[in-house]
Amino acid sequence: FCCQQALEKLVKGLYLLYLDDNIPKIHNINTLIDRFSDKLTEEIDERWRNLFDRVTNFYISGRYPKYVSSLGSLVNKAQAGFVLKESKEAFKCLLTLKPPKM
């Protein structure tokens, strides 16, 4: 859940950088990126796209209490560690995105 939140906030910051301050009130990271991807100098790696889909599921689970109790049965400690590691790498990658020079 926290990985999703960190990535979502960063992507919303990129949305502001590339487009405007009319940031949609949505939580799907890939959908947000799709809205400004035409402004990027390179495509977002499919590896990160898959991760963003995965952590979006954690966001949904975290927001709805009845799913929180079942989250522990869906993700073990090793999987959670992997998602954290991958999220940190994706975050660093997203930080390197800069608008093209005009």
Side-chain angles (χ1 to χ4, degrees):
F1 177 77
C2 291
C3 292
Q4 188 283 335
Q5 287 290 280
L7 290 165
E8 178 188 332
K9 300 308 179 205
L10 177 56
V11 168
K12 285 184 174 181
L14 291 169
Y15 186 100
L16 175 66
L17 180 67
Y18 283 102
L19 294 175
D20 56 43
D21 63 353
N22 191 20
I23 302 166
K25 294 180 181 180
I26 59 175
H27 306 287
N28 186 299
I29 298 167
N30 280 320
T31 300
L32 288 163
I33 290 172
D34 288 343
R35 301 218 178 157
F36 62 83
S37 63
D38 62 323
K39 309 259 189 261
L40 300 175
T41 56
E42 59 188 75
E43 288 186 34
I44 302 292
D45 191 289
E46 193 64 28
R47 171 185 175 194
W48 303 135
R49 292 290 195 151
N50 291 333
L51 174 69
F52 301 152
D53 282 338
R54 187 168 184 195
V55 297
T56 294
N57 291 329
F58 293 134
Y59 169 80
I60 292 167
S61 297
R63 292 289 285 183
Y64 299 97
K66 73 178 186 176
Y67 294 112
V68 173
S69 60
S70 65
L71 190 57
S73 64
L74 299 174
V75 180
N76 64 34
K77 188 174 182 176
Q79 292 169 322
F82 178 77
V83 169
L84 177 60
K85 178 183 158 293
E86 290 286 291
S87 294
K88 287 178 179 180
E89 289 182 34
F91 196 92
K92 287 179 187 175
C93 179
L94 290 171
L95 282 175
T96 67
L97 297 177
K98 296 181 177 121
K101 294 181 181 180
M102 299 209 188

